[in-house]
Amino acid sequence: MDASDSPAADAPDAAGPADRSPSPATGPARDRERDRDRDRDPDGMLAEQLLRLTRRLHRIQSRQLEPIGITPAQFRLLRTVASYDAAPRMADLAQRLDVVPRAVTTLVDALEASGRVRRAPDPDSRRVVRIRITDEGRATLRSLRNARRAAAEEILAPLTAEQREVLGGLLSALVDGMPERHC
């Protein structure tokens, strides 16, 4: 699972409020503090901003998905199952999602209980189980895509069309430049 699929993504920092040094909440003092941090560790500041944005997107998306009765991690698995031409194996899903197989089992269990996917035997091997998306899963996926677009629109609202295009290019460069990880 990626950071946005983890329940810890929205968890507060381990340090409680008493453990943190006071930080100005608003105004010019906050801006000066942010500028000082950028000057000292610009890459660290970028990483922190990306993490904050990821958490914010996760919270907004969770809020959008809640009425549908699905978590962001389940949405990600459902999208992944639907992306295959033929029903994938659990191991295929774990590899594609870059998670341990047990995590896929838990997600499939929940999606199967809600009627969105079903386990099916592989016609070529008795030991292999394939995961198939159901009609209910396809309908859910359509609703989820709309919820995801609404969450993205909320995050991207302050940006112009040109800024969105630039951001898309920068994010693509970061994603495409990441080395492959294997469990």
Side-chain angles (χ1 to χ4, degrees):
M1 271 184 233
D2 64 22
S4 67
D5 291 337
S6 165
D10 283 335
D13 295 334
D19 298 333
R20 294 189 189 122
S21 58
S23 176
T26 60
R30 182 194 64 204
D31 295 340
R32 283 191 301 275
E33 184 177 321
R34 189 181 308 134
D35 290 343
R36 271 195 311 275
D37 287 345
R38 254 189 219 122
D39 292 343
R40 281 184 264 167
D41 184 12
D43 289 343
M45 185 66 177
L46 280 173
E48 179 61 29
Q49 288 173 310
L50 287 170
L51 287 171
R52 287 176 57 207
L53 183 60
T54 299
R55 288 180 184 132
R56 183 172 172 219
L57 182 57
H58 183 76
R59 280 190 306 274
I60 291 168
Q61 185 174 348
S62 293
R63 189 177 66 235
Q64 297 278 346
L65 298 180
E66 189 175 0
I68 299 168
I70 196 166
T71 67
Q74 291 169 349
F75 175 31
R76 187 170 176 232
L77 181 89
L78 195 59
R79 273 192 347 253
T80 303
V81 171
S83 72
Y84 281 88
D85 292 331
R89 301 172 305 141
M90 300 278 259
D92 298 330
L93 293 169
Q95 183 177 8
R96 173 89 59 96
L97 294 170
D98 195 23
V99 298
V100 295
R102 178 72 190 122
V104 170
T105 301
T106 302
L107 293 171
V108 168
D109 287 347
L111 289 171
E112 188 174 38
S114 67
R116 293 176 172 123
V117 300
R118 68 178 175 82
R119 288 175 167 91
D122 185 294
D124 299 326
S125 174
R126 302 186 293 182
R127 296 181 304 173
V128 175
V129 174
R130 301 258 175 200
I131 307 304
R132 298 191 187 283
I133 189 167
T134 63
D135 290 341
E136 174 69 23
R138 282 184 193 76
T140 300
L141 200 52
R142 283 189 294 277
S143 296
L144 293 170
R145 286 183 177 134
N146 292 335
R148 187 174 203 184
R149 274 193 286 282
E153 182 57 40
E154 188 173 332
I155 287 283
L156 299 172
L159 302 180
T160 66
E162 183 179 316
Q163 288 171 323
R164 289 178 187 202
E165 189 174 328
V166 169
L167 178 61
L170 293 170
L171 291 173
S172 291
L174 290 172
V175 170
D176 294 343
M178 290 176 54
E180 289 293 320
R181 284 185 11 206
H182 300 285
C183 296

